[in-house]
Amino acid sequence: MHEPESTDDTYTDPTLVGNGVQPPTRTETDSLGSVEVPADAYWGVHTMRALENFPISKRPISVYPDLVVALASVKQAAARANREVGVLTDRKAALIDEACQRIIDGEHHEQFVVGVIQGGAGTSTNMNANEVIANLALEIAGFPKGRYDVLHPIDDVNRSQSTNDTYPTAVKLAMTFSLTSMMRELDLLRVSFGRKGQEFHEVLKVGRTQLQDAVPMTLGQEFHSFATTLGEDYERLNETIKLLSEVNLGATAIGTGITADPGYAAAAVRHLSAITGLRLESAPDLIEATSDTGVFMTFSSALKRSAIKLSKICNDLRLLSSGPQAGFGEINLPPRQAGSSIMPGKVNPVIPEAVSQVAYAVAGADVTVMMAAESGQLQLNAFEPVIAHSLLQSITWMRQACWTLRVNCVDGITANVDRLEAMVASSVGVITALIPFIGYTEASNIAKLALKTGRPVADLVVEAGLMSREAVMAQLQPSKLSGIRPITMAIPLIDLQGEPSE
């Protein structure tokens, strides 16, 4: 029989196996005393205490591979800089370097086990990284885990560093890595909408303002506008990468650089730029940079903007595809799954619905980031872990949302051409195009009569003797109604060449 999930939130010892028998352990010691840790774990005492203290999110930092790679990159740069300034031996630096490279290459990410939500401004994350790198380096050198007399997590791996400069630097790197990946998906989605704009560029439809019938346009223009707005968001997000490139590595505890060689900061940033391929620069005021989290608010705001605008597009897709019999029914979204357990044949717009929910979560995360940024005191913000988690989760979800919207929805959208043509033919909105020839008052009278009788506008105008049939039809051509011709100075069709932006 299925056991109900436990509601006990107390800490469960991760060293216990399924039968309750404790596997082999090793003893590690910190300033608080000794602790038993699993013998085969690359992490140690500091990580063990974090597991005991923060059983909150049930999500380890390894759920964000970009953060793990960023931490290893920072430690690798630090080792190279420490060797360069002469405070770390060549042998130790080489071992740390190799251990970091293995993590960068994707190995041992499962060893980054501390929870994403933690106290201590990221100290537990930093110590988890220090311990994993130290024990991996020891293994490479042929020593057992825990032989910190040979190579130490703090004295060697964390040399010339503090959590307060390594953690924020790693978070900025992780966000840059993740954002770059997300922006690729956003741009591919832009291209997908643009291609639909080209496909539908001659399909006339009724435009709407305030959910009421307005003047005609083409379905292609509507989808073109979706592509344009996504392109604008791409540019705004791209601007934030520059802001994330300013780091405080070398600031150590509060920005004074205490315990670090005077040449360390510049060397560490230079090595980190080479490792990551990013153009990083040291903040001009390391004390300010260590306490300030304004860049995260700026980044979060840009991400929220993109998410909300994407949700607006999804709402439009839901409206345009509504029905299909009793709604707008202008377009067809690809059927992805049965929509009801009781109504046969019902298919729901599940992909746009999912994307909108991601947008709501991103908007909520933006509030979290704002509150955490405001709550920092004096020389450090203790709440950067929740900032990091909120933003990395938002980026991850946005990337996947853009992917599923493109692959499972937009690429397969089709137009209900016959229905669109019928709605345009019966729309009184076309009378707007005749105002320059018959005047607003006469146009208004014709519109009221068309609504009352259901007869076509063109017939009523001709019968009233206001224009000839030929003159009316010349002005009601689809190209003129939609502004494709430059008569209304409409925007040109998007030129994609089928390729996303670089």
Side-chain angles (χ1 to χ4, degrees):
M1 189 174 77
H2 176 67
E3 295 279 346
E5 186 175 329
S6 173
T7 58
D8 183 6
D9 289 332
T10 57
Y11 173 73
T12 301
D13 189 342
T15 64
L16 292 178
V17 297
N19 59 8
V21 177
Q22 193 170 35
T25 62
R26 67 177 188 268
T27 303
E28 291 200 9
T29 304
D30 63 3
S31 60
L32 299 181
S34 296
V35 170
E36 295 297 310
V37 301
D40 61 351
Y42 287 87
W43 44 268
V45 56
H46 296 282
T47 301
M48 188 68 183
R49 293 198 189 282
L51 291 172
E52 295 171 342
N53 291 332
F54 310 121
I56 299 169
S57 65
K58 306 295 186 182
R59 301 181 69 187
I61 58 173
S62 60
V63 299
Y64 302 123
D66 286 329
L67 179 57
V68 175
V69 170
L71 289 163
S73 299
V74 169
K75 298 298 176 179
Q76 188 178 54
R80 295 179 183 181
N82 281 324
R83 176 169 53 186
E84 181 178 316
V85 299
V87 298
L88 196 63
T89 67
D90 289 348
R91 176 61 174 158
K92 287 184 177 181
L95 288 170
I96 295 171
D97 197 313
E98 183 176 346
C100 290
Q101 189 60 50
R102 291 190 182 185
I103 295 169
I104 292 171
D105 291 340
E107 298 180 28
H108 304 292
H109 282 208
E110 77 285 349
Q111 296 295 317
F112 289 78
V113 296
V114 298
V116 292
I117 302 299
Q118 56 191 252
T123 297
S124 296
T125 294
N126 185 41
M127 292 305 301
N128 193 166
N130 290 333
E131 290 173 342
V132 170
I133 293 167
N135 282 307
L136 182 54
L138 287 169
E139 184 177 79
I140 293 169
F143 291 94
K145 299 178 183 67
R147 281 294 307 273
Y148 300 146
D149 57 315
V150 177
L151 192 146
H152 199 276
I154 299 177
D155 292 339
D156 298 318
V157 180
N158 200 63
R159 185 72 181 241
S160 306
Q161 303 155 64
S162 164
T163 294
N164 303 345
D165 65 335
T166 59
Y167 184 75
T169 298
V171 168
K172 288 182 178 180
L173 290 180
M175 289 182 184
T176 301
F177 297 155
S178 296
L179 178 60
T180 301
S181 176
M182 190 215 94
M183 287 174 60
R184 281 196 293 269
E185 286 297 337
L186 179 64
D187 202 42
L188 288 171
L189 180 60
R190 177 191 69 84
V191 170
S192 181
F193 274 115
R195 287 175 178 158
K196 287 297 171 181
Q198 292 176 333
E199 180 182 341
F200 302 145
H201 79 280
E202 292 184 348
V203 180
L204 204 63
K205 60 161 286 178
V206 176
R208 296 179 182 84
T209 57
Q210 295 161 280
L211 291 180
Q212 303 300 303
D213 296 346
V215 297
M217 64 186 300
T218 69
L219 190 61
Q221 289 172 318
E222 195 161 32
F223 275 75
H224 175 282
S225 72
F226 295 155
T228 299
T229 200
L230 294 180
E232 291 176 351
D233 286 330
Y234 182 96
E235 294 302 323
R236 299 294 81 75
L237 288 167
N238 195 45
E239 291 168 359
T240 66
I241 292 179
K242 172 64 176 176
L243 301 177
L244 292 170
S245 68
E246 185 180 281
V247 298
N248 72 328
L249 192 59
T252 66
I254 63 170
T256 61
I258 191 171
T259 74
D261 182 276
Y264 167 80
V269 173
R270 173 166 41 83
H271 283 295
L272 189 57
S273 295
I275 290 166
T276 61
L278 301 174
R279 294 183 179 180
L280 305 173
E281 57 184 40
S282 184
D285 186 332
L286 292 178
I287 290 179
E288 184 275 339
T290 303
S291 63
D292 179 56
T293 54
V295 62
F296 298 128
M297 285 194 291
T298 300
F299 174 74
S300 182
S301 178
L303 193 63
K304 180 183 70 173
R305 165 193 157 128
S306 180
I308 296 304
K309 290 173 68 177
L310 189 61
S311 182
K312 187 271 180 190
I313 291 173
C314 286
N315 285 334
D316 286 352
L317 294 179
R318 292 172 63 219
L319 272 176
L320 294 174
S321 65
S322 61
Q325 293 173 302
F328 284 19
E330 295 188 1
I331 62 174
N332 306 301
L333 305 185
R336 299 304 307 174
Q337 63 188 55
S340 174
S341 61
I342 189 173
M343 292 175 282
K346 190 172 189 291
V347 178
N348 296 326
V350 294
I351 303 300
E353 289 171 352
V355 173
S356 286
Q357 290 176 78
V358 168
Y360 309 152
V362 171
D366 181 64
V367 176
T368 299
V369 171
M370 176 186 67
M371 295 180 66
E374 185 275 335
S375 296
Q377 292 100 14
L378 304 177
Q379 278 68 61
L380 183 67
N381 189 306
F383 309 107
E384 286 191 23
V386 76
I387 292 177
H389 167 56
S390 298
L391 290 179
L392 289 172
Q393 175 177 275
S394 292
I395 299 169
T396 301
W397 286 15
M398 277 286 287
R399 180 180 65 241
Q400 296 306 111
C402 288
W403 179 88
T404 195
L405 184 59
R406 171 174 60 89
V407 173
N408 292 321
C409 184
V410 177
D411 285 349
I413 290 176
T414 58
N416 286 328
V417 178
D418 291 344
R419 180 173 176 82
L420 289 166
E421 290 180 349
M423 285 193 287
V424 171
S426 62
S427 172
V428 300
V430 298
I431 194 66
T432 305
L434 304 182
I435 289 178
F437 305 95
I438 65 176
Y440 185 88
T441 300
E442 290 290 357
S444 180
N445 292 332
I446 294 292
K448 292 177 182 178
L449 185 59
L451 285 172
K452 182 178 180 179
T453 64
R455 296 183 62 198
V457 164
D459 292 347
L460 295 175
V461 171
V462 172
E463 289 177 8
L466 298 171
M467 295 177 70
S468 68
R469 172 74 61 179
E470 292 75 14
V472 170
M473 298 315 296
Q475 298 307 316
L476 297 187
Q477 293 178 40
S479 59
K480 287 189 176 182
L481 287 175
S482 64
I484 292 178
R485 290 185 183 177
I487 188 171
T488 58
M489 301 304 291
I491 55 175
L493 287 174
I494 190 168
D495 182 15
L496 294 169
Q497 285 111 28
E499 298 295 333
S501 302
E502 294 294 329

